[in-house]
Amino acid sequence: MRIMEELSVMEKLEILTDAAKYDVACTSSGTDRAGDGSGIGNCVKAGLCHSFAADGRCISLLKILFTNECIFDCKYCLNRRSNDVPRTSFTPEEVCELTIEFYRRNYIEGLFLSSGVLHSPDYTMELIYSALYKLRYEKRFQGYIHVKAIPGASLELVRRVGYLADRMSVNLEFATAEGLKKLAPHKTRKNILAPMRMVQNGVTQNRYEIQSYRGAPRFVPAGQSTQMIIGATPETDYEILHVAESLYKKFDLKRVFYSAFVHLNDDRELPARTGEGPPLLREHRLYQADWLLRYYHFEASEILSEKEPNFNVLFDPKCNWALRHLEQFPVEVNRAGYEMLLRVPGLGYRSAQRIVRARRFGMLDFADLKKMGVVLKRAMYFLTCNGRMMYPTKLEEDYIARNLLNTGQKLPEGADGMTYRQMSLFDDVRFGGGFHEENLCVQG
Amino acid sequence: MKRIYVCRDEVTGLLSALYDAWRGVVVDGVPECGIRFRGCIEQELFCEYTEVEESEKKARAVERLILRNLGWYAYKLIYQAALSTDALKGDAILGAMLEARKIPDSRRIMDHLGNAQVEKVFELSRNVGDEVHRWLQFLRFGELENGIMFSRFEPKNRVLTCVAPHFADRFCLENWMIYDETHQEYVVHEAGKQWVLVTGEELNEELAGRYSDGERMFRELWHRFTDSIAIEERRNPGCQMGHLPLWYRKNMVEFLSV
């Protein structure tokens, strides 16, 4: 390890931002809180993105590590102890000053504080606690704070930090326990799920406290999230989505984030470098499917199955589902139920809500739909207005699929026949045992 | 004959015109009314043009009328639509208000998107609302020598009054000021007090350009931060442009050279 002496805040910020950027969760949503007039800051339910980086990802929070010194040796991580990189740490004062000064210039919506593991998980968690305490109580900061729980830290410390933060997250890292064991040998399923369960129970209990006692402190009001790395281990999309679904159902998570694996280290446990870059299309499809789970009343088993464990490269998951279930279409706009409208490709939940409200006043036709913001390019194959389709169309899978591909819409990168996986002799993804539910990370 | 009311393009003017036009249709029974703004009128044949006498009293009366009969939600959308740059917004708002008389529950008027005028009000307010939301994110403050946080921007719609309450809540103990260069208006907020809208004052460019000592350092820190947060392997300027169009970037620190 290189010993670094007295870096300036500028250099520290650069190093610790660079080290934090592979964490994808940077949302500031989920809580509404007006300022109380005694300090600085408030929170907006929808969240605000203050800028967008050159990679197109939003910059909402000051995303930094407290320290990039780490005793863990996770194979995929830039800060693993076996890497020779400059190491440094912020002091709690520096974190507070940066947050407040950026915040009052409207650069950021709050702070995202993660950390490498310095000395021990508990020691690190206490450092994080002291920084947040200073920020909340000395600087009277009422903006958004997202903080990572360090796997292995004592639950009491996690609980105390939870009263200072808006959102907490523990990274699940991989969908299967084997993946975790292989690539993150110092983390265990238990260490990750225990704080997650603790936060979940804390939030439930806190809901009761808030109702019973006026002025009860709020515990993780914006809920918790997690993230999984995609493409470093051989899991199928079905397994990943299945895990995400159980996390939403069993742990009441607000969000599951997916992070396309970026090759930072060379390690024999990691997949070989292919020169294709991170699996962005796969990540994109996972997010689309994730939305279907959360807002569109879909089940993971409807989107993918053991027989078809990976996403279609050409169509988004909803389109893909509709093409497989043409017997349920076309849908009559003026009569169909809200849940059925949600399943029409090209109709978002906002347009579906608008349709349901507007049709009380009279019949809707395609011109009205267009004005409401429905993407007719896709929806027109699946909809009728007053019993008529927009153009005469055949309700055949091939016909619709061909036309959807012909709309001149730019296909996502990687969908031009080049896929994100290296061709190999063992191209069948079910090769080697396939899907075993008991292997998934959230079981047990 | 169609009667057209002419007013200034700002909220009080428009509401006064709505007052007159509403009276024209509902009380005098004029078959068709329109509202145009001084300075951007396309003369039409077979129309009678009337100047509107603008007053706060009329504006308040219309506000009360809308709040009482159409409810808070419709009021919010109509107010936002009134801030739009569209030249025919007055006609749309008047049309929507008249349409509300015809449906059983006037408070649901903004759900009646099958009607062209209602749809237009909805569209305009969505456009203004989107711009407001963007400016809440992309406005940047700088600390001047005298400690005031100063921000300038060039919005398309007249969004300043929609932006101000957010910052008044957020920075309640700061002295700050936002300058709208397009419409030459200011919002000024003194620590711990209400914000005020100021019009007809000229900006002292010299004072507004003198930043405090710390300002330069935090600008550079922010520059470094935004540069190093991007992942090179995922570089995607098209995506960045979609979320953050170039015209918003004019006063954003991270896109200016230090």
Side-chain angles (χ1 to χ4, degrees), chain A residues 346-348 351 354 368-376, chain B residues 119 123 126:
Chain A
L347 268 181
S351 339
R354 270 176 215 146
D368 297 326
L369 294 189
K370 193 168 187 176
K371 281 189 212 146
M372 280 179 210
V374 176
V375 188
L376 282 175
Chain B
E119 204 277 330
E123 189 62 51
R126 185 163 60 170

Side-chain angles (χ1 to χ4, degrees), chain A residues 10 14 21 35 41-42 49-52 54-55 101 103-106 109 283 354 357-358 371, chain B residues 111 119 126 136-137 139-141 143 149 169-170 174 215 218 224 228 230-231 234 236 240 254:
Chain A
M10 194 83 79
E14 214 162 354
K21 69 184 173 190
N42 59 12
C49 307
H50 285 270
S51 190
F52 288 86
D55 52 13
E101 290 299 333
Y103 193 83
R104 64 196 279 261
R105 290 171 171 77
N106 205 34
E109 195 55 20
E283 181 195 274
R354 270 176 215 146
R357 286 205 300 264
K371 281 189 212 146
Chain B
D111 289 345
E119 204 277 330
R126 185 163 60 170
L136 295 186
Q137 312 181 114
L139 220 63
R140 293 288 182 261
F141 287 89
E143 192 184 47
M149 302 303 286
D169 184 55
R170 176 161 288 200
E174 298 270 3
E215 180 62 22
F218 286 108
R224 294 270 190 105
S228 55
I231 298 178
R234 306 183 55 125
N236 189 349
Q240 185 190 25
E254 58 269 44

Side-chain angles (χ1 to χ4, degrees), chain A residues 284-405:
Chain A
H284 178 60
R285 290 277 180 261
L286 275 165
Y287 276 117
Q288 287 177 320
D290 189 79
W291 245 259
L292 294 184
L293 294 181
R294 288 187 297 134
Y295 292 109
Y296 292 81
H297 306 272
F298 274 84
E299 303 267 331
S301 54
E302 289 179 285
I303 301 168
L304 292 171
S305 64
E306 260 176 77
K307 278 188 194 151
E308 196 197 347
N310 286 326
F311 288 111
N312 190 325
V313 182
L314 297 173
F315 296 110
D316 61 87
K318 196 178 178 189
C319 227
N320 198 38
W321 177 86
L323 286 171
R324 298 283 146 107
H325 295 85
L326 282 178
E327 73 282 354
Q328 303 192 27
F329 294 100
V331 164
E332 169 58 44
V333 171
N334 290 296
R335 268 192 302 278
Y338 174 65
E339 302 218 338
M340 194 59 217
L341 286 176
L342 284 181
R343 297 193 163 225
V344 177
L347 268 181
Y349 69 97
R350 285 189 168 198
S351 339
Q353 283 169 356
R354 270 176 215 146
I355 288 175
V356 172
R357 286 205 300 264
R359 67 188 180 186
R360 295 197 185 122
F361 295 92
M363 291 296 213
L364 299 176
D365 58 31
F366 283 104
D368 297 326
L369 294 189
K370 193 168 187 176
K371 281 189 212 146
M372 280 179 210
V374 176
V375 188
L376 282 175
K377 202 160 55 179
R378 261 176 290 157
M380 66 179 192
Y381 300 101
F382 305 97
L383 286 179
T384 59
C385 284
N386 306 320
R388 280 171 199 223
M389 298 201 83
M390 195 169 172
Y391 305 112
T393 22
K394 281 184 266 182
L395 213 57
E396 284 169 12
E397 190 179 334
D398 284 351
Y399 173 82
I400 297 177
R402 204 167 50 242
N403 277 293
L404 283 174
L405 288 178

